[in-house]
Amino acid sequence: MAPLRSLLPDLSPFRSSRDFRLLWIQGLVTTFGSFMAMIALPLQIKDLTGSPLAVGAMGAVELVPLIVFGLYGGALADAVDRRRVILLTEAGLGLLAGVLLLNALLPQPMLWPLYVVAAGVSALAGLQRPALDSLMARIVPHDQLTAAAALNAARWQLGTIAGPSVAGIVVAYAGHATAYAGTILGFAASVLLCLRLSPAPAAHDARRPSLRGIAEGARYAWSRPVLLGTYAIDLAAMFFAFPNTIFPFLADDLDAPWALGLMYAAGAVGSVVLSATSGWTSRVRRHGLFVVFGATGWGLAIMAAGWFSNIWLVLACLALAGMGDTLSGLGRSTIWNQTIPDELRGRLAGIEVLSYSIGPQLGQVRAGAMAGWTGTRPAIWSGGLACVATVGLLAAVLPKLVTYDADTDPDALRRRAQKEAATAPGASGPGTGRDADPDPDPDPTPEATIA
């Protein structure tokens, strides 16, 4: 039984942090509510236009606001109360869902509001994500960050598997308006949960959001080879080996159109399996190896998925790819939260938004263009091969990522000291809310100072 217990997820963040519990539940509720609109919105565009191009244009409409407001949201998260940013953006997302509902109830729903709302949702998501990501390092004890990342991954993947299934049934049998109403209810519940979060004020000397502040965050990231490695490997993995956009063509090549939905779900299933057996990850200190091995496993599995002609082997490979991607994500999230100073956390989270949003977008373009040139399966396996080769090259060029150790890395030690100083008796800096860090790490390092 002991080996089995060591594989079970580490639930210590649930026990030690009330704010983590609230955010976990809030995230699950929001995921389900959001999927109602995420499924209904493109389907409504399809019903109104009958054009695949019109549906695909939604992605182009969303990309620029995500980039612009993601960067600005990072600077904003360092300058104001992060709880307030999360609360106001959740309320704003609920209002946008209300616009979709009103439009759907019209005798003749209009097309242009759908694109406007899609752009608005992308902008609000860009504003919110850095505040949400940067809050995690403040509310979870330093030695529980990997466990928190695994629990958050499990929450997201559960929502990814169940959310679209429920949303598809609602849209098919109750219509777009009912789906949008469900989205509104989800955001209303989320706002109520966010109201119970502890305040997360900015540092007393925080500056107003500005281009100079954003540039300061970029310079910090550029000066840290470990951070550069996490961004570069994630971008490479998604650019070369993100074939989701050509899954319909792969299903046709394999004479298995019935398996298209399974292809999209297989990665999430693999991720859930890893998250459900992630207890061992809390004891690992070499999180850079998570990033390298996970991205390599992702590339190898995608390469195999493009090579095999048996549909069940392809689905198994896609599930393994999901496990590799989740392992890499655990490493990236842990390194970010362990090493980045709190006063820069929001701006760096804004850069992280770009690293994991631009890669898949460009990867879909690469996969589609390559498939038109070489065929579907060669486009997939060659992308996986290029991913593995690029990850190996980046690991060789950036050896500090491979050798990263949470117990010896200078930035990780400084970040730990920063948290302990903020939560010491009588401290008045950021992170001293009622749940900031109820279980400080043992064995503080006396020589560590704030970065």
Side-chain angles (χ1 to χ4, degrees), residues 82-269:
R82 293 167 186 173
R83 169 183 172 270
R84 187 181 181 190
V85 174
I86 296 168
L87 179 61
L88 292 178
T89 51
E90 285 291 285
L93 290 167
L95 290 175
L96 289 177
V99 174
L100 293 175
L101 175 59
L102 291 175
N103 184 61
L105 293 174
L106 294 175
Q108 295 293 330
M110 297 179 288
L111 179 62
W112 66 265
L114 305 184
Y115 290 111
V116 172
V117 169
V121 167
S122 185
L124 288 176
L127 284 175
Q128 182 192 86
R129 189 62 184 261
L132 198 60
D133 287 352
S134 61
L135 187 60
M136 201 57 57
R138 183 179 291 187
I139 65 175
V140 175
H142 191 83
D143 60 346
Q144 296 177 12
L145 289 171
T146 304
L151 292 171
N152 283 335
R155 179 203 68 201
W156 168 250
Q157 296 301 341
L158 286 173
T160 301
I161 294 171
S165 302
V166 175
I169 294 172
V170 170
V171 173
Y173 290 98
H176 303 109
T178 303
Y180 296 142
T183 300
I184 294 172
L185 291 176
F187 282 116
S190 175
V191 167
L192 293 176
L193 288 167
C194 289
L195 285 170
R196 301 184 61 197
L197 290 172
S198 304
H204 63 86
D205 57 348
R207 291 172 291 180
R208 296 179 61 183
S210 64
L211 290 176
R212 176 181 293 181
I214 295 172
E216 182 184 357
R219 284 195 299 271
Y220 179 87
W222 185 258
S223 69
R224 297 305 194 271
V226 174
L227 292 180
L228 279 180
T230 64
Y231 301 145
I233 284 179
D234 187 39
L235 280 169
M238 293 298 104
F239 176 75
F240 288 114
F242 192 79
N244 292 31
T245 193
I246 57 175
F247 278 170
F249 301 96
L250 178 61
D252 289 342
D253 279 2
L254 299 176
D255 196 25
W258 53 269
L260 178 59
L262 295 177
M263 289 182 182
Y264 284 114
V269 171

Side-chain angles (χ1 to χ4, degrees), residues 275-416:
S275 298
T277 57
S278 62
W280 61 276
T281 62
S282 296
R283 297 184 292 276
V284 175
R285 317 308 294 167
R286 300 282 299 278
H287 302 106
L289 294 178
F290 278 9
V291 178
V292 174
F293 289 160
T296 301
W298 160 267
L300 288 172
I302 293 297
M303 183 171 62
W307 186 263
F308 288 127
S309 57
N310 180 284
I311 182 59
W312 296 109
L313 288 176
V314 170
L315 292 173
C317 289
L318 293 177
L320 290 173
M323 296 176 71
D325 186 43
T326 300
L327 183 63
S328 179
L330 290 182
R332 295 193 307 272
S333 178
T334 303
I335 289 172
W336 295 339
N337 286 325
Q338 283 183 343
T339 64
I340 298 172
D342 190 72
E343 62 271 15
L344 289 172
R345 190 67 191 89
R347 279 164 283 180
L348 272 294
I351 295 173
E352 291 152 19
V353 168
L354 301 187
S355 79
Y356 55 65
S357 62
I358 293 178
Q361 295 281 355
L362 295 179
Q364 293 187 77
V365 175
R366 184 216 65 85
M370 193 77 177
W373 179 39
T374 64
T376 302
R377 291 172 61 192
I380 295 174
W381 69 255
S382 64
L385 179 61
C387 168
V388 173
T390 306
V391 170
L393 178 62
L394 289 170
V397 172
L398 298 168
K400 288 190 176 181
L401 175 64
V402 179
T403 59
Y404 173 85
D405 189 318
D407 292 332
T408 60
D409 182 81
D411 288 329
L413 294 176
R414 282 192 284 267
R415 173 62 185 137
R416 173 182 288 189

Side-chain angles (χ1 to χ4, degrees), residues 416-437:
R416 173 182 288 189
Q418 184 186 50
K419 284 194 72 175
E420 291 175 347
T423 56
S428 58
T432 56
R434 61 179 179 269
D435 252 332
D437 191 349

